[in-house]
Amino acid sequence: MNYQTWLNEAVLSLSAADLQDSPKRDAQLILQCVTQQSFANIFAFGETALSEKQLAELTVLLARRLTGEPMAYILGEKEFWSLPLLVSPDTLIPRPDTEILVESALKIGQDCLQNQSTLRILDLGTGTGAIALALASELKPLAEKCGSILEIIGVDRIAQAVSLAQRNAERNQLTFVDFLQSDWFSRLPSDTKFDMIVSNPPYIEAGDIHLVQGDVRFEPLSALVAEEQGYADLRFIIENAPHFLKDEGWLLLEHGWQQGEKVRSIFVENNWQRIATIKDYGGNERVTLAQYAV
């Protein structure tokens, strides 16, 4: 079987599975992954014969996709903020909505770098390291220009996630970002203070119908589900972040599109100031931020 014949048959199979993505694009990516050829080469040399080993690998990967497994896990990679990131079933797949959190944090970070000598940022539940590394890629040039020191730490309670984030830092030449294993703040020294804390914590309620639909079916529940109708981890972070923030430091949290009002009320209950919610690209409330003043 050659490249073009395999592509044609794979597209037919994926189309019949009705996975709501592009069957043609998925088939192309799988073929590129196995053959290590660019799409241009595959298109130009469609008559190239596939080896038995390649056909076996293609059969396995296509079967995984036909079950609905996300392409990011099949390929082992997902781009976020123009950074190629390794992904695994130990972590969430980075999503475009989280770029809203990065954009909001960048505005604060840029202001800090222009007005102080050091900027320290903590990323809670870092997963692939997507948020921490996106911030690092944008803020490091400005820090160097301003003569300021930039320190970014990402923590995750899953050892495999920490290892993956470290590999992503190396892959993107952002090795000054530190990653360590910690259940939220538990392994941070009590005297550690940050200018900004960011997090995309679990915020889905157990039993939510979306947990058995689409890509989410394959992602780790521990990174998705929280007690108290999805608010437990959001509340925990809001209540404990002040112990790890400098005076007038900021906390930015991603949350569900219907959770903005409740999250703002939790901030109010805990005496935070300048509370605001940012909408995502679909016009839904997605990120709430606030400042804590002693």
Side-chain angles (χ1 to χ4, degrees):
M1 183 180 293
N2 61 32
Y3 290 171
Q4 191 59 58
T5 302
W6 185 89
L7 272 176
N8 292 341
E9 293 185 4
V11 170
L12 286 174
S13 296
L14 290 168
S15 298
D18 191 24
L19 298 172
Q20 298 183 341
D21 284 322
S22 169
K24 186 174 181 179
R25 180 61 175 161
D26 288 354
Q28 290 170 353
L29 288 172
I30 290 172
L31 186 56
Q32 286 178 241
C33 177
V34 170
T35 62
Q36 293 297 295
Q37 296 292 324
S38 68
F39 177 66
N41 281 345
I42 289 172
F43 181 78
F45 304 101
E47 73 284 356
T48 302
L50 290 159
S51 69
E52 289 187 10
K53 180 181 179 182
Q54 289 174 328
L55 279 171
E57 292 176 0
L58 287 167
T59 298
V60 171
L61 296 187
L62 182 60
R64 289 171 61 185
R65 183 58 187 142
L66 288 170
T67 67
E69 184 175 349
M71 285 296 296
Y73 287 158
I74 293 171
L75 301 177
E77 181 176 298
K78 178 71 173 180
E79 184 175 286
F80 178 84
W81 204 267
S82 298
L83 301 174
L85 300 177
L86 298 171
V87 299
S88 81
D90 297 309
T91 64
L92 290 183
I93 299 168
R95 289 175 168 79
D97 283 342
T98 301
E99 294 190 354
I100 303 301
L101 178 61
V102 173
E103 290 173 0
S104 303
L106 281 176
K107 292 176 183 177
I108 295 172
Q110 289 164 350
D111 182 65
C112 289
L113 285 173
Q114 292 171 346
N115 292 283
Q116 58 194 57
S117 60
T118 302
L119 172 61
R120 303 193 75 220
I121 300 173
L122 173 65
D123 176 22
L124 290 171
T126 195
T128 60
I131 297 170
L133 296 175
L135 292 175
S137 70
E138 296 287 350
L139 293 174
K140 185 62 172 178
L142 179 59
E144 293 174 347
K145 180 180 178 180
C146 296
S148 302
I149 298 172
L150 174 65
E151 298 178 2
I152 300 178
I153 296 175
V155 303
D156 202 289
R157 69 180 185 84
I158 306 297
Q160 295 91 330
V162 174
S163 176
L164 188 68
Q166 291 171 334
R167 289 168 62 197
N168 279 326
E170 293 167 2
R171 194 178 197 211
N172 288 281
Q173 299 180 323
L174 297 167
T175 52
F176 66 91
V177 181
D178 293 321
F179 294 100
L180 61 91
Q181 188 175 1
S182 177
D183 187 359
W184 298 133
F185 303 100
S186 64
R187 295 187 64 183
L188 293 173
S190 58
D191 60 348
T192 304
K193 302 292 184 182
F194 296 90
D195 299 281
M196 177 167 42
I197 297 174
V198 297
S199 184
N200 176 18
Y203 55 73
I204 299 177
E205 181 180 5
D208 188 296
I209 190 173
H210 296 96
L211 293 172
V212 294
Q213 298 176 347
D215 290 358
V216 176
R217 293 174 295 155
F218 295 85
E219 295 183 283
L221 284 176
S222 61
L224 293 164
V225 175
E227 299 296 323
E228 297 179 25
Q229 292 79 51
Y231 292 99
D233 291 314
L234 289 161
R235 181 184 296 278
F236 179 86
I237 295 171
I238 292 170
E239 291 176 348
N240 288 275
H243 303 300
F244 296 89
L245 278 174
K246 298 177 183 179
D247 187 27
E248 298 187 351
W250 290 89
L251 172 61
L252 296 85
L253 295 171
E254 180 174 335
H255 50 72
W257 67 281
Q258 294 179 309
Q259 293 178 319
E261 182 177 357
K262 178 67 173 179
V263 171
R264 289 191 295 273
S265 71
I266 299 173
F267 271 115
V268 171
E269 291 168 12
N270 288 275
N271 302 311
W272 289 78
Q273 309 297 316
R274 301 179 69 180
I275 303 165
T277 298
I278 312 300
K279 294 183 178 180
D280 62 23
Y281 304 126
N284 300 307
E285 295 189 330
R286 183 62 59 186
V287 172
T288 296
L289 55 88
Q291 188 176 43
Y292 196 86
V294 178

